[in-house]
Amino acid sequence: MKLDVKELIKELSSLDGPSGYEKAVLELIEKKIEPLVDRVWYNKVGTLIAEKKGTGSGRLGIFAHADEVGYVVTKLEKGLFARLETIGGVDPKVIFAQRVKIYTAKGIAKGIVGVLPPHLQKEEHRSKVPSFDKIFVDLSCSELGEYVSVGDICVVDVKPVELNGKLCGKAMDNRAGCASLILAAQLLRNIRNYQDVYFVFSSQEEVTGLGAVSIAYELRLDRAIVVDVTHGDVKIPQFVQIKTGEGPALCVGPVIDKEFYSKLYQTAQRNNVKIQIEPAPGRSGTDTDEVQLSGTGVRTTLVSIPLMYMHTPVEVVDPRDVEETARLLALATTIE
Amino acid sequence: MYLKELTELDGVSGNEQQVREFISDKIKDKVDELKVDVLGNLIAYRKGTKGGRKIVLAAHMDEVGFMVTNIEDDGTLAFAPVGGVETQVMVGKIVRINGQTLGAIGYKAIHIQDKEQILKPLSIDQLRVYIGAKSKEEAARQVKIGDYVAFTTTFDQENNRLTGKAFDDRAGCSVLMDIIDKIDRYEDDVYFAFLVQEEVGLRGSAVVVEQIHPDIAIVIEGTTAGDDPELPEYQWATHLGDGPAITFMHRGYVVNKRVYESIIEVAEKYSIAHQAKRRTAGGTDAARFARTGAGTAAAVVSVPSRYIHSPVSMIDLNDYNNTVLLLQKILEQGEAFAR
Amino acid sequence: MIDLIRKLTEAYGPSGREEEVHNLILQELEGHVDGYKFDNVGNLLVWKAGTTGKKVLFDAHADEIGLVVTNIDERGFLRVESVGGVPPHSYVGHRVRFPNAIGVVYVEGETEEERKKNFTNLNLDNMFVDIGARNRDEAMKVVPIGSFGIYDSHFFKNGDLLISKSMDDRIGCAIIVEILRRVKKPRNTIIGSFTVQEEVGLIGASVAAYSLVPDVCVAVDVTDSSDYPKSFKRHSMALGKGPAIKIKDRASISNRGVVEKLIEVAEQEKIPYQMEVLTFGGTNAAALQRTRAGIPSATVSIATRYVHSPSEIVSLEDVENTVELLINYAGKGV
């Protein structure tokens, strides 16, 4: 029953789970990971935890958020149109001319995010960048269009594809991370973990971070490794460029525990795990920031999978980076 | 007063160990308990004679600075600020990377700038640190991505004015150390918390509440002044020489009324010069103490400081001494304080 | 309930100075609760014990936005900064009420051009308060630095519409007081949380649930009512459509399970309701849900026109339907 990394990522990406509505994603993850661990359970605010007892002492949490960015219907307009609000940070430019799915009480309605055709565009339409106040969804192409209501959740309707061995689709942020945790759990069949390991598939990272911080408080972790994604193959002024295909990036900075980082780094070196180093001069913008501060403090590290075109429907990851991340996580559980 | 030693140490947010080790060494034999927590905060404890309440006096050890974010092909280093540092104070300074390697933040000579460039405001992606290396490989032998970078200002004292870097908040740290030296026992249990990472989001303080569960917290800061010719008097935050500044409100938090009024009461009772902090901008660890765990009645007392978050700041010696005196008197009130 | 709403909305209670509001609430709840306490940051917590062991916490913030005096010039004019999200234009030419004085707020401008510029870019930095003092000393005696002021505005009723300052969030406080007055024998324990300093940073709500640790938190606050000329085009909330069950705002997403239960209860009891997505702002639910190991939380809102102005408008019918909904939710939804 060995899991194939590409199939796993594609399966996870195909499911819809915007922040606060992760149930379908978590149910699949639960199915995949339950045979590999001692027990699984959900906390009160929608986070899935899988526990594997260790041979020694202490508690290590390994986090990946299960939610993705998405949209919610805010208002219905005459003629079967709807207005949207984002869940998480989404650039309005990337939703134009996309097919979308809306989860209504009666089933999934189809919609199209409309654009004025070039023939009818005035100069003002071409030059101004639209905001969500100007965007609308056309529901008239769906039999369930009339059942769309305020509060219904919406996602872009897209299936993952393979591009020269890389995977391209929505929600690679952070299904790639979730996949790496599941693969790590699989590797733990042959590696004895020292600390008790808690694989945490957290909710709502894209909006509030509630899922991670609540379970960190409850479990009173000693250490944590947060797995998320980072911008790959793009030049950001002042910053070193992280590349896809060269392994996960280890973060350095105030939100990273120096002692734990050092052991993680040495573990990677000793085992020839491909890694890159990514500086964060302040907050990292991931669950690491709040997990570090929970309770009396947690020794945190952040491992990021390089990803292109973040928060668009065509996010790209290299499955080799996901596998290398899984390997690093499994080895990290042997740190005493 | 430990300001010379404290301000000349490097302790950018996330890299406070030099400062922590210095303070720990000086106070370890003077307190009942001393520990370093998971985040690196140094927490000292003195048991009270009546032990009714728990009071925390807090100051942060970290200063603003930079981090190396890339090593360029030409051997110069790209960097990003750690904490709030305005680009305009960065140019033409000597910095120290990772506690050892010196570097210069240079800029193109005025002779060879075109008119447009002279008038344009600086942006940080134009700046680099030059350590004397000619290539990426040469630079990488001495520094690495993620290294912390600090200003190198030395301390000076003249005319009752003290100048140097990082009075925000080594002034607070020094005040706490002076109080530890001056008085021995109080009625309440007192914790002296030397915090990390205040400048990057009030982070160190976030884990102190769950360790101590304090009743009252007083944060001692080096706060902004603004009393210079560029700002009209009614827009000043504080004025050097008018005494410790007592905050009634800052970003995200209105100071607990009972504690605020009690502090003023003590200052007036002993005729200690004091002033209200007259702008609500800026935040402190008091907000974090208030909003964490079961909550805390938190207040702020500050040494006014000109030019904070720049390589050279200034405080007044009398303000500093009056701050120590005020906190001393507060502790001497014992259980009567902020009842 | 109208009298209760009038008293609460007219009370003085800027962030950090909520005592008068708390005292009023305690008076109104006399004989209706089993106990109360003030926590470390000054939140007022009251409770009425049930029999099932389950606890639902209803939260409303007691504070309102306002101004704080930071400087006084030699002629006795006050300089102020905002306490919470104060729109400066709401004060121009209007009055601000301090504990011991009433002042008029106006704008600087030495020339026509400067005046025009300042009025277009209103900012408390180019505004001042006139309390009629002749010099700084006189002003200091009446309104010392660190004094807090609020809108000097009064309540009035216009048919179904109630108009006053600080419906945000005294209407929430009134609703919770009314719930506690009407429920004689609760099934589940009801905790009333009247929190401080929401408007400056959700300070009170960050700690309010820490000691009593409820099973569910419901914040009762205001939301935008987008039913006036060219109001926010993406909002669907309006007066008269009933309590608004919030899906999300910019600070949190309501717990899906709690939302579904609220809808179920409303449908069962035939209480009108509307769904709400707010494209800005946040409520105390964002902080309450993060308490300890996490608490499922949601917000039920009252549609309100002109939020943060001196004349916020709500529908009395909406208020009464909200009381009904929450009483039923407390009874069978938890």
Side-chain angles (χ1 to χ4, degrees):
Chain A
M1 209 213 81
K2 188 175 188 304
L3 297 160
D4 173 75
V5 56
K6 284 189 192 169
E7 286 316 305
L8 180 60
I9 295 173
K10 284 203 255 184
E11 212 179 339
L12 287 168
S13 161
S14 305
L15 290 172
D16 299 327
S19 310
Y21 296 82
E22 303 91 343
K23 190 152 159 254
V25 179
L26 292 175
E27 281 176 352
L28 178 74
I29 294 175
E30 186 186 353
K31 240 177 58 188
K32 302 261 178 215
I33 206 170
E34 198 179 359
L36 304 167
V37 296
D38 297 334
R39 70 169 175 135
V40 296
W41 75 99
Y42 290 87
N43 83 348
K44 283 184 273 187
V45 291
T47 288
L48 172 68
I49 307 106
E51 175 183 20
K52 187 145 206 279
K53 287 261 172 234
T55 57
S57 63
R59 301 175 145 201
L60 168 67
I62 303 182
F63 291 73
H65 69 86
D67 58 315
E68 65 194 270
V69 295
Y71 314 88
V72 60
V73 174
T74 68
K75 187 176 179 182
L76 302 171
E77 305 272 26
K78 277 203 291 266
L80 284 180
F81 293 98
R83 298 279 183 190
L84 297 178
E85 163 70 333
T86 57
I87 297 178
V90 190
D91 180 358
K93 294 194 284 293
V94 309
I95 199 182
F96 260 161
Q98 294 276 10
R99 288 190 184 277
V100 295
K101 283 160 35 186
I102 301 181
Y103 284 78
T104 77
K106 299 237 193 274
I108 297 179
K110 291 184 277 197
I112 294 177
V113 179
V115 188
L116 273 180
H119 321 76
L120 298 177
Q121 278 188 34
K122 291 217 263 282
E123 197 45 55
E124 56 171 70
H125 288 115
R126 257 188 276 255
S127 53
K128 289 209 190 112
V129 176
S131 70
F132 277 93
D133 284 325
K134 298 220 158 75
I135 282 170
F136 53 85
V137 185
D138 190 333
L139 303 166
S140 60
C141 53
S142 176
E143 283 177 1
L144 296 179
E146 59 181 304
Y147 297 105
V148 171
S149 323
V150 173
D152 285 350
I153 300 302
C154 171
V155 293
V156 176
D157 186 5
V158 65
K159 290 258 169 301
V161 296
E162 224 177 290
L163 303 173
N164 262 318
K166 266 88 63 205
L167 293 174
C168 174
K170 71 165 177 69
M172 293 301 168
D173 172 10
N174 186 21
R175 305 291 154 71
C178 293
S180 74
L181 261 64
I182 297 170
L183 293 169
Q186 188 168 251
L187 290 172
L188 282 191
R189 299 194 122 156
N190 302 320
I191 297 177
R192 312 286 305 282
N193 49 300
Y194 181 76
Q195 297 196 307
D196 292 340
V197 171
Y198 296 86
F199 293 101
V200 178
F201 299 92
S202 52
S203 57
Q204 299 197 33
E205 185 274 343
E206 297 289 1
V207 196
T208 60
L210 176 66
V213 76
S214 56
I215 194 65
Y217 184 94
E218 184 180 334
L219 291 175
R220 306 243 156 222
L221 300 168
D222 298 294
R223 295 183 180 136
I225 305 176
V226 173
V227 181
D228 210 318
V229 298
T230 189
H231 303 286
D233 295 347
V234 62
K235 185 72 193 110
I236 302 168
Q238 302 299 98
F239 283 81
V240 58
Q241 187 168 346
I242 301 296
K243 308 198 174 90
T244 58
E246 309 230 335
L250 261 56
C251 180
V252 291
V255 304
I256 304 301
D257 180 77
K258 286 193 181 148
E259 191 193 302
F260 186 29
Y261 167 83
S262 167
K263 293 186 178 169
L264 190 61
Y265 180 83
Q266 282 162 28
T267 302
Q269 299 291 85
R270 268 201 311 268
N271 292 279
N272 289 317
V273 178
K274 272 171 127 189
I275 52 166
Q276 313 177 57
I277 306 297
E278 183 175 28
R283 295 168 56 94
S284 67
T286 68
D287 279 333
T288 316
D289 303 341
E290 293 300 309
V291 168
Q292 187 192 33
L293 305 184
S294 91
T296 55
V298 178
R299 297 187 186 278
T300 42
T301 53
L302 169 62
V303 174
S304 304
I305 299 168
L307 176 143
M308 299 166 68
Y309 312 133
M310 202 180 292
H311 287 194
T312 72
V314 290
E315 294 179 333
V316 176
V317 289
D318 188 324
R320 293 174 301 172
D321 291 335
V322 178
E323 285 180 311
E324 204 66 340
T325 302
R327 203 157 79 82
L328 177 60
L329 294 176
L331 290 165
T333 69
T334 63
I335 297 174
E336 299 196 3
Chain B
M1 197 173 81
Y2 299 85
L3 283 170
K4 176 168 163 57
E5 302 96 310
L6 281 171
T7 59
E8 290 184 353
L9 291 169
D10 289 351
V12 173
S13 310
N15 200 42
E16 303 89 344
Q17 63 269 15
Q18 271 186 27
V19 182
R20 182 176 51 239
E21 278 159 17
F22 172 81
I23 298 174
S24 175
D25 190 60
K26 290 274 180 269
I27 69 173
K28 64 181 192 285
D29 297 322
K30 303 174 188 168
V31 296
D32 297 336
E33 276 169 39
L34 189 60
K35 74 166 202 176
V36 178
D37 73 12
V38 169
L39 255 69
N41 298 314
L42 177 67
I43 304 176
Y45 170 64
R46 269 192 180 154
K47 193 158 176 43
T49 55
K50 293 199 179 166
R53 300 179 302 184
K54 295 186 194 169
I55 300 188
V56 171
L57 298 183
H60 66 89
M61 298 185 287
D62 60 310
E63 65 193 277
V64 297
F66 311 97
M67 175 182 282
V68 175
T69 52
N70 199 16
I71 305 178
E72 308 283 1
D73 291 332
D74 63 4
T76 61
L77 315 177
F79 59 94
V82 177
V85 192
E86 291 289 306
T87 315
Q88 55 186 349
V89 308
M90 298 180 194
V91 176
K93 307 296 188 301
I94 301 287
V95 294
R96 186 164 39 232
I97 302 136
N98 208 15
Q100 325 180 50
T101 308
L102 292 179
I105 303 178
Y107 201 69
K108 194 187 250 188
I110 189 171
H111 320 71
I112 51 178
Q113 285 183 52
D114 59 49
K115 240 203 213 140
E116 207 189 276
Q117 191 177 4
I118 296 182
L119 297 172
K120 235 169 70 154
L122 274 175
S123 80
I124 193 173
D125 53 68
Q126 297 173 290
L127 302 179
R128 296 285 183 273
V129 175
Y130 175 70
I131 61 170
K134 290 295 169 78
S135 69
K136 191 183 216 161
E137 292 70 38
E138 196 185 337
R141 284 197 282 273
Q142 297 170 69
V143 301
K144 58 186 193 302
I145 290 175
D147 277 352
Y148 288 93
V149 183
F151 291 117
T152 54
T153 321
T154 49
F155 177 85
D156 188 33
Q157 180 171 344
E158 192 175 311
N159 203 26
N160 267 344
R161 292 284 155 101
L162 315 177
T163 50
K165 72 172 169 79
F167 284 112
D168 173 12
D169 184 28
R170 305 290 158 72
C173 294
S174 180
V175 167
L176 292 193
M177 292 171 76
D178 280 351
I179 292 178
I180 290 174
D181 286 342
K182 283 184 204 297
I183 42 174
D184 228 14
R185 285 293 149 204
Y186 333 95
E187 291 183 354
D188 292 299
D189 292 339
V190 177
Y191 293 82
F192 298 89
F194 297 91
L195 305 170
V196 298
Q197 299 195 28
E198 186 273 350
E199 299 288 3
V200 286
L202 315 175
R203 299 183 65 78
S205 51
V207 300
V208 172
V209 173
E210 290 273 352
Q211 293 176 65
I212 298 176
H213 301 289
D215 298 292
I216 293 177
I218 303 180
V219 169
I220 298 105
E221 267 284 7
T223 198
T224 189
D227 59 339
D228 60 46
E230 283 296 293
L231 220 53
E233 199 197 320
Y234 63 80
Q235 287 185 355
W236 292 354
T238 61
H239 179 49
L240 258 59
D242 283 359
I246 328 281
T247 303
F248 50 81
M249 175 181 168
H250 68 49
R251 183 175 63 224
Y253 180 57
V254 177
V255 170
N256 181 281
K257 185 172 175 214
R258 176 175 45 95
V259 182
Y260 172 70
E261 288 179 346
S262 298
I263 294 172
I264 307 265
E265 233 173 74
V266 172
E268 307 210 315
K269 181 169 166 190
Y270 295 95
S271 302
I272 302 171
H274 63 283
Q275 56 185 308
K277 178 167 172 208
R278 296 187 313 209
R279 302 227 52 174
T280 63
T284 74
D285 286 313
R288 189 66 92 162
F289 281 111
R291 68 185 317 142
T292 309
T296 316
V300 187
V301 173
S302 311
V303 179
S305 173
R306 287 180 185 162
Y307 327 127
I308 57 170
H309 290 207
S310 83
V312 196
S313 31
M314 175 194 292
I315 62 171
D316 182 279
L317 182 60
N318 294 317
D319 289 343
Y320 175 86
N321 289 330
N322 278 324
T323 306
V324 177
L325 181 61
L326 175 56
L327 285 158
Q328 222 181 294
K329 292 297 173 197
I330 285 173
L331 289 175
E332 281 174 17
Q333 304 309 296
E335 297 189 316
F337 174 72
R339 257 283 157 253
Chain C
M1 239 193 119
I2 294 167
D3 203 54
L4 173 66
I5 297 170
R6 182 181 52 77
K7 280 192 240 178
L8 280 170
T9 56
E10 287 190 347
Y12 171 91
S15 305
R17 299 287 180 270
E18 300 89 346
E19 300 82 23
E20 188 182 307
V21 180
H22 281 157
N23 288 336
L24 186 53
I25 290 172
L26 280 175
Q27 263 172 45
E28 296 288 332
L29 283 176
E30 178 119 26
H32 294 286
V33 291
D34 296 334
Y36 74 91
K37 71 171 183 177
F38 287 95
D39 70 13
N40 288 343
V41 296
N43 292 321
L44 169 62
L45 297 160
V46 309
W47 52 88
K48 200 158 188 168
T51 53
T52 63
K54 294 218 219 131
K55 296 180 257 187
V56 56
L57 181 148
F58 290 126
D59 175 279
H61 64 90
D63 61 313
E64 63 193 284
I65 55 170
L67 302 173
V68 67
V69 178
T70 51
N71 262 293
I72 305 179
D73 73 15
E74 333 78 64
R75 288 186 293 180
F77 290 92
L78 318 178
R79 293 284 163 174
V80 289
E81 293 190 2
S82 67
V83 179
V86 171
H89 54 257
S90 286
Y91 268 109
V92 180
H94 290 288
R95 289 160 224 168
V96 50
R97 192 191 336 155
F98 297 101
N100 296 316
I102 293 194
V104 177
V105 184
Y106 212 65
V107 183
E108 290 171 342
E110 285 184 310
T111 62
E112 276 298 334
E113 200 186 317
E114 197 185 299
R115 195 160 285 238
K116 199 152 136 192
K117 192 171 119 224
N118 286 346
F119 270 91
T120 332
N121 276 318
L122 277 175
N123 191 319
L124 291 173
D125 278 348
N126 55 31
M127 293 164 70
F128 55 87
V129 180
D130 181 351
I131 58 165
R134 283 170 301 183
N135 53 54
R136 176 184 277 138
D137 285 335
E138 212 180 274
M140 293 262 272
K141 289 201 187 75
V142 186
V143 187
I145 288 179
S147 296
F148 289 77
I150 54 168
Y151 289 130
D152 183 44
S153 161
H154 302 278
F155 171 95
F156 74 100
K157 183 174 181 298
N158 187 2
D160 176 56
L161 301 184
L162 309 178
I163 301 128
S164 184
K165 68 165 179 72
S166 47
M167 285 296 175
D168 176 12
D169 183 28
R170 306 290 163 69
I171 198 67
C173 295
I175 287 168
I176 297 175
V177 167
E178 188 66 10
I179 292 170
L180 288 163
R181 294 208 289 212
R182 285 198 211 170
V183 179
K184 300 301 176 198
K185 283 191 174 355
R187 271 191 73 238
N188 301 307
T189 298
I190 300 177
I191 299 168
S193 158
F194 301 97
T195 39
V196 301
Q197 299 198 33
E198 185 272 352
E199 298 285 6
V200 292
L202 311 186
I203 295 286
S206 300
V207 306
Y210 188 86
S211 58
L212 300 170
V213 202
D215 298 285
V216 157
C217 293
V218 180
V220 188
D221 209 328
V222 302
T223 190
D224 179 44
S225 185
S226 166
D227 55 353
Y228 56 88
K230 297 222 168 169
S231 46
F232 284 105
K233 61 195 278 205
R234 276 196 288 154
H235 290 167
S236 64
M237 297 78 76
L239 296 183
K241 281 165 67 174
I245 300 175
K246 187 193 288 271
I247 294 289
K248 86 176 278 277
D249 56 33
R250 278 297 161 98
S252 71
I253 297 180
S254 291
N255 178 278
R256 187 176 183 178
V258 179
V259 166
E260 286 173 359
K261 248 318 171 208
L262 284 161
I263 294 174
E264 198 185 296
V265 169
E267 300 269 340
Q268 264 172 25
E269 300 297 316
K270 307 228 187 316
I271 301 169
Y273 67 96
Q274 49 185 317
M275 301 306 295
E276 170 205 344
V277 177
L278 189 64
T279 59
F280 51 77
T283 71
N284 275 342
L288 291 164
Q289 67 181 359
R290 299 169 81 88
T291 307
R292 290 193 191 255
I295 304 179
S297 304
T299 304
V300 170
S301 317
I302 299 289
T304 306
R305 289 181 189 165
Y306 325 131
V307 174
H308 282 191
S309 79
S311 305
E312 297 175 331
I313 305 185
V314 303
S315 145
L316 179 57
E317 199 182 288
D318 285 345
V319 174
E320 290 184 337
N321 279 321
T322 305
V323 174
E324 269 308 300
L325 174 60
L326 294 177
I327 286 178
N328 280 289
Y329 175 75
K332 45 187 179 149
V334 183

